[in-house]
Amino acid sequence: MARSHLTAKEREGAIAWICELHRARGYLVETMFIAIGIFDKYVSRLDANELGQLDICNFAAVCLLLAAKLNQPLTPSIGQIILLLNKDFKNETTTKR
């Protein structure tokens, strides 16, 4: 049976990822809420069967980047977000082994 939406656990993981990246960058609280709103709005239109866990994490990070570009006084570069993602992803994969 095909599912059309993310599970609660998948959404919870994505929101936790947004919050973790938000905290690591020291963004405004409003930026985090904007990112979560963007995530929820667009993920509701996607087919959940087409999303893998890495896709969900990357999409969550992109939502935070978009929110930061809209709301932060000093906007981050895409390169900064990629470096942060790579660092956090490597830490997460090495601790799970």
Side-chain angles (χ1 to χ4, degrees):
M1 182 165 122
R3 60 192 181 104
S4 60
H5 299 290
L6 295 181
T7 64
K9 187 173 182 170
E10 288 171 327
R11 182 185 180 275
E12 181 182 321
I15 300 307
W17 185 242
I18 288 172
C19 293
E20 186 176 324
L21 291 173
H22 164 265
R23 188 180 66 249
R25 297 298 298 161
Y27 291 152
L28 300 170
V29 175
E30 293 85 358
T31 302
M32 180 183 65
F33 288 117
I34 292 169
I36 293 169
I38 293 169
F39 180 85
D40 284 339
K41 190 171 288 188
Y42 285 96
V43 83
S44 70
R45 291 178 169 84
L46 298 174
D47 182 359
N49 293 316
E50 296 175 3
L51 294 174
Q53 190 59 40
L54 183 59
D55 294 332
I56 294 168
C57 289
N58 286 336
F59 183 64
V62 168
C63 290
L64 184 62
L65 175 65
L66 289 171
K69 291 284 188 183
L70 290 169
N71 196 52
Q72 287 299 127
L74 297 173
T75 60
S77 71
I78 293 174
Q80 289 173 325
I81 294 294
I82 290 171
L83 288 174
L84 185 62
L85 280 173
N86 286 336
K87 182 183 123 212
D88 285 345
F89 184 72
K90 285 178 187 173
N91 289 341
E92 192 172 295
T93 56
T94 55
T95 55
K96 286 185 178 179
R97 289 185 183 172

